[in-house]
Amino acid sequence: MNRFLTNARVLGLSLLVLTLPMACETDKFLENVNKANLTDLTQWESETNADVFLNDVYSQIPNKLNQTESLDYYTDDYNISHYYTAANWRIGITIVPSTSTDNPWGGTHGPTYGYTWENFFVKIRKVNTFIQKITENKANYSEAYYNKRMDEARFLRAFFYSEFFVHIGGLPILTEPLDRTKMSTEQLQKPRETFADTYNFIVSELDQVVKNGNLDVKYSLSQRDAGRATLGAALALKGWIELFAASPLFNTATPYLSDPGKFVHFGNYDPSRWAKAAATNKAFIDAYGNGKNYNLFPDLKNLWRTANEYNSEVIWDRQVVANVANMGGSYESRGGPTYVLGEYRSWGNYNPTQELVDQFAMANGKPITDPTSGYNPQNPYVNREKRFYDFIVYDGAPYKLDWMPRADTIYTRIDLTLPNPDRTNQIDLAGKTDVGDSGYYQKKRLNPDAAPGNDASGQNYVFYRYAEVLLNYAEAQNEATGPDGGVYDAINKIRARSELAPLPQGLTKDQMREAIYRERRVELCFEDKRFLDNKRLAKAEEVMGKPRHNMVIRNAVPANNSGVWVYTIEPEKKYTVKFDKKQYMNPIPQNVLDQNPGIKQNPGY
């Protein structure tokens, strides 16, 4: 707690600063100056006071570790329970909500993950207010402070826009606070911009931040400004949004559904968009990567540990502080093995599908579909690649996190000899309990230091890391020019960390594309990336329009388990799955349409 406060870790307590008396530790955060009664005049009279407001803007970054639903619930990487909004989305139920909502319990509005129309514009208003006020009061600040904080604010605005843009498409562009007392109805009712215009706004803001060079490239754990925006974060986000927009769903003259306003597509196909995305990600690698400021962290399974925050791979993350209400992480309480050492520990939500498990290679680097790989479907967990054992809890897996007093073994097989099967980790095909629905549990990103509990974890939420930059570059460059040496180098760096052999030389563009997709899916699994990849690559209608599969293990002699255990891959039973093309983007709430005639609905709704 002390480290967070004395290092000005830019999240959370800022809102309290404006309204509540200060406790002693909070005074340290505020450099021992009571800011409980800041007014509009005093708020902007000094750099310290202005920082209080900006810190509140940072607190608007969603703590996604505490979101009931993750984006992975909406993908073919998870088999999740029946009572979430994701379950309705999974069977094709996505309709226009009456009001802006992020209800995760049986909602019909699609994924939000920390953003609604209402809170998005609250975030943007806060950023725009900060930009306006420090500009009006520029004489109160040093030039270095003004330039740095201005670029931080511009980055945050671009970041918030990017996070909503990927779910909605074109958005109203607001660069100043709206004021009913001074603005006309026309000025207040900003129309929805096109996909291209919104994309160009985000990219141009990030490009200007990078060109200005006012921010640090990266922070380390010991620096007081760790958690603030950096040049690395701006360039990485720019490269990601360019890759997102260059992808088939948007980079087309033929939208997935009629889109006369061009809110969800460019209106033309332009191959140079791939080249632009490749160039930006290559610029990051050349300027900041390869050990200059960023590099692959050698121990992937421990990348997210609290002790390893701001390591060489982390580019942009959200601050989390353990055991502080609404500041800690509760991610572990929702997933991982349901029962650990015989005790109920989690909701058992993070259930990897067989589709994902099959993407993990063998230790020799070959996919399991290769007849020379050595894969045995009746002994499927032997000699798999390192990431499989680091990321997946499978039947018979040894399980020992540092908070546990001793090791456990997790069994997901159907064992009819157990006296109380509902209090074990065996697969729950009917979805009646919290135990897993797929035959697997997730281990990746679970905090090894803290037992599951509300706000118990201090691991930061990582939005972007260097491995993704390498993957983004490889994909964009392969689409732009084919599998050249740079593409091989980027992918093989990631494979080498996981002790896999380099990709074979001589791959065609199509073969390299599939290799990149496989590597991306495995490397970035459970990091909220798969949903956006399925979307931008226009694959959701294919992969989400059919059942996912589970690993069901039964004994040949179920009465006493005296026979062999038989591994069978079976389709999920709980859903009649469906995906409508309209689900590529979220619907806009009816009250938003009613309040502003300049906002038009997304295709299909």
Side-chain angles (χ1 to χ4, degrees):
M1 180 69 174
N2 236 6
R3 174 174 63 82
F4 170 82
L5 296 172
T6 56
N7 287 355
R9 298 301 204 120
V10 303
L11 285 179
L13 296 175
S14 307
L15 190 59
L16 296 176
V17 163
L18 302 177
T19 58
L20 299 177
M22 300 296 104
C24 60
E25 285 191 309
T26 308
D27 286 339
K28 292 181 183 178
F29 176 59
L30 300 175
E31 299 179 2
N32 296 314
V33 180
N34 191 334
K35 301 295 190 293
N37 298 310
L38 288 174
T39 67
D40 191 55
L41 293 176
T42 59
Q43 178 79 75
W44 310 105
E45 68 181 9
S46 70
E47 295 174 3
T48 301
N49 288 7
D51 270 352
V52 172
F53 193 97
L54 183 59
N55 289 352
D56 181 46
V57 178
Y58 274 98
S59 77
Q60 298 301 305
I61 300 170
N63 185 355
K64 297 189 177 185
L65 292 169
N66 284 351
Q67 298 289 324
T68 301
E69 288 189 317
S70 78
L71 282 185
D72 287 313
Y73 286 16
Y74 294 81
T75 75
D76 50 337
D77 281 359
Y78 271 165
N79 187 344
I80 55 94
S81 296
H82 57 281
Y83 41 77
Y84 292 108
T85 296
N88 282 330
W89 187 91
R90 184 78 176 91
I91 59 177
I93 300 176
T94 308
I95 61 177
V96 177
S98 59
T99 59
S100 182
T101 178
D102 58 356
N103 173 32
W105 307 111
T108 56
H109 47 75
T112 56
Y113 212 24
Y115 290 83
T116 65
W117 277 82
E118 181 178 348
N119 72 28
F120 168 71
F121 287 108
V122 169
K123 300 175 197 297
I124 298 305
R125 179 177 179 82
K126 286 176 181 285
V127 178
N128 287 339
T129 298
F130 179 81
I131 290 173
Q132 179 187 73
K133 291 297 184 179
I134 67 166
T135 300
E136 292 174 354
N137 295 276
K138 189 175 180 180
N140 294 338
Y141 320 122
S142 69
E143 182 178 3
Y145 172 89
Y146 175 82
N147 290 338
K148 190 170 187 177
R149 295 296 190 255
M150 177 65 79
D151 280 356
E152 285 183 41
R154 292 179 72 176
F155 167 83
L156 288 170
R157 184 169 61 189
F159 173 72
F160 293 142
Y161 262 98
S162 74
E163 291 251 293
F164 205 42
F165 171 68
V166 298
H167 292 293
I168 303 296
L171 294 163
I173 304 300
L174 303 180
T175 57
E176 60 181 340
L178 300 182
D179 189 338
R180 285 189 174 87
T181 65
K182 298 178 181 179
M183 291 181 171
S184 66
T185 300
E186 183 179 2
Q187 289 173 310
L188 291 170
Q189 293 183 339
K190 290 280 187 177
R192 187 180 179 190
E193 301 292 345
T194 65
F195 182 92
D197 286 343
T198 307
Y199 161 80
N200 288 333
F201 171 72
I202 295 169
V203 168
S204 64
E205 287 287 283
L206 295 168
D207 194 45
Q208 191 59 55
V209 169
V210 173
K211 288 179 178 177
N212 288 345
N214 294 318
L215 305 182
D216 287 23
V217 174
K218 179 176 174 56
Y219 290 115
S220 65
L221 181 62
S222 62
Q223 291 178 282
R224 64 179 287 115
D225 279 345
R228 293 189 181 275
T230 62
L231 293 178
L235 193 56
L237 176 54
K238 179 173 180 280
W240 154 244
I241 285 296
E242 289 173 348
L243 179 76
F244 181 82
S247 301
L249 191 70
F250 313 110
N251 189 9
T252 180
T254 308
Y256 58 89
L257 289 172
S258 178
D259 179 32
K262 297 181 181 177
F263 297 127
V264 297
H265 81 300
F266 277 110
N268 70 312
Y269 172 70
D270 184 351
S272 71
R273 293 185 180 115
W274 286 115
K276 183 177 181 181
T280 297
N281 285 287
K282 185 63 160 59
F284 187 107
I285 294 167
D286 291 344
Y288 305 148
N290 293 326
K292 297 182 182 72
N293 303 95
Y294 297 91
N295 212 344
L296 294 178
F297 188 67
D299 185 9
L300 179 58
K301 73 176 180 179
N302 286 313
L303 183 146
W304 292 270
R305 269 190 195 260
T306 305
N308 292 329
E309 290 174 359
Y310 303 100
N311 64 62
S312 63
E313 191 160 342
V314 174
I315 300 173
W316 174 238
D317 64 358
R318 203 274 192 194
Q319 289 289 327
V320 176
V321 184
N323 301 313
V324 178
N326 300 316
M327 287 289 292
S330 303
Y331 185 76
E332 292 76 12
S333 67
R334 296 184 174 89
T338 306
Y339 290 91
V340 176
L341 298 175
E343 295 183 14
Y344 177 90
R345 286 293 185 177
S346 84
W347 298 0
N349 283 356
Y350 312 147
N351 304 149
T353 60
Q354 191 64 43
E355 280 80 358
L356 172 61
V357 168
D358 286 349
Q359 296 300 301
F360 287 84
M362 300 297 287
N364 58 21
K366 297 179 180 181
I368 67 170
T369 53
D370 186 328
T372 66
S373 69
Y375 177 71
N376 179 356
Q378 290 305 309
N379 197 8
Y381 311 134
V382 174
N383 294 327
R384 300 298 288 271
E385 63 162 286
K386 185 175 183 294
R387 287 176 296 191
F388 174 77
Y389 301 107
D390 290 342
F391 294 177
I392 305 293
V393 181
Y394 53 91
D395 181 74
Y399 192 75
K400 175 64 170 73
L401 302 183
D402 290 355
W403 61 264
M404 296 167 55
R406 62 186 184 280
D408 199 355
T409 301
I410 307 299
Y411 292 102
T412 63
R413 61 190 64 176
I414 295 176
D415 186 347
L416 300 184
T417 70
L418 296 173
N420 190 349
D422 288 346
R423 293 189 58 80
T424 69
N425 288 306
Q426 73 177 38
I427 190 171
D428 176 23
L429 294 172
K432 67 177 182 177
T433 70
D434 280 350
V435 300
D437 301 328
S438 72
Y440 301 100
Y441 294 93
Q442 170 187 334
K443 184 161 65 173
K444 182 185 182 183
R445 290 177 67 204
L446 299 185
N447 189 344
D449 298 317
N454 288 336
D455 296 310
S457 178
Q459 292 187 154
N460 288 354
Y461 181 90
V462 178
F463 288 100
Y464 302 109
R465 57 186 179 95
Y466 185 56
E468 186 176 357
V469 173
L470 293 173
L471 289 161
N472 291 350
Y473 168 68
E475 181 183 341
Q477 182 70 1
N478 185 58
E479 297 300 330
T481 67
D484 61 17
V487 174
Y488 272 96
D489 183 64
I491 293 298
N492 286 336
K493 278 185 169 68
I494 293 172
R495 289 175 64 86
R497 173 169 61 180
S498 296
E499 301 174 4
L500 294 176
L503 290 175
Q505 291 294 316
L507 296 180
T508 66
K509 183 176 183 177
D510 289 345
Q511 289 171 331
M512 178 60 81
R513 180 186 296 121
E514 291 307 309
I516 291 169
Y517 288 171
R518 179 189 295 270
E519 204 65 45
R520 185 178 184 92
R521 187 175 185 183
V522 170
E523 176 69 20
L524 301 179
C525 67
F526 317 137
E527 296 181 53
D528 299 313
K529 307 295 182 179
R530 178 69 176 172
F531 174 80
L532 297 177
D533 286 346
N534 283 344
K535 178 200 294 276
R536 66 182 179 85
L537 296 171
K539 288 182 174 292
E541 57 200 273
E542 171 193 347
V543 301
M544 300 307 296
K546 58 187 178 184
R548 294 165 290 192
H549 288 79
N550 310 313
M551 177 60 81
V552 184
I553 308 170
R554 300 179 178 91
N555 199 277
V557 184
N560 59 14
N561 295 341
S562 61
V564 297
W565 290 98
V566 180
Y567 294 74
T568 307
I569 296 172
E570 299 182 3
E572 61 182 334
K573 299 180 183 298
K574 292 179 298 184
Y575 302 104
T576 302
V577 298
K578 181 182 179 183
F579 181 86
D580 283 334
K581 288 185 177 182
K582 69 179 183 179
Q583 293 176 275
Y584 273 119
M585 286 296 190
N586 281 5
I588 297 172
Q590 188 61 48
N591 70 324
V592 174
L593 303 174
D594 294 341
Q595 292 166 4
N596 184 351
I599 305 296
K600 306 300 180 184
Q601 186 58 271
N602 266 336
Y605 294 103

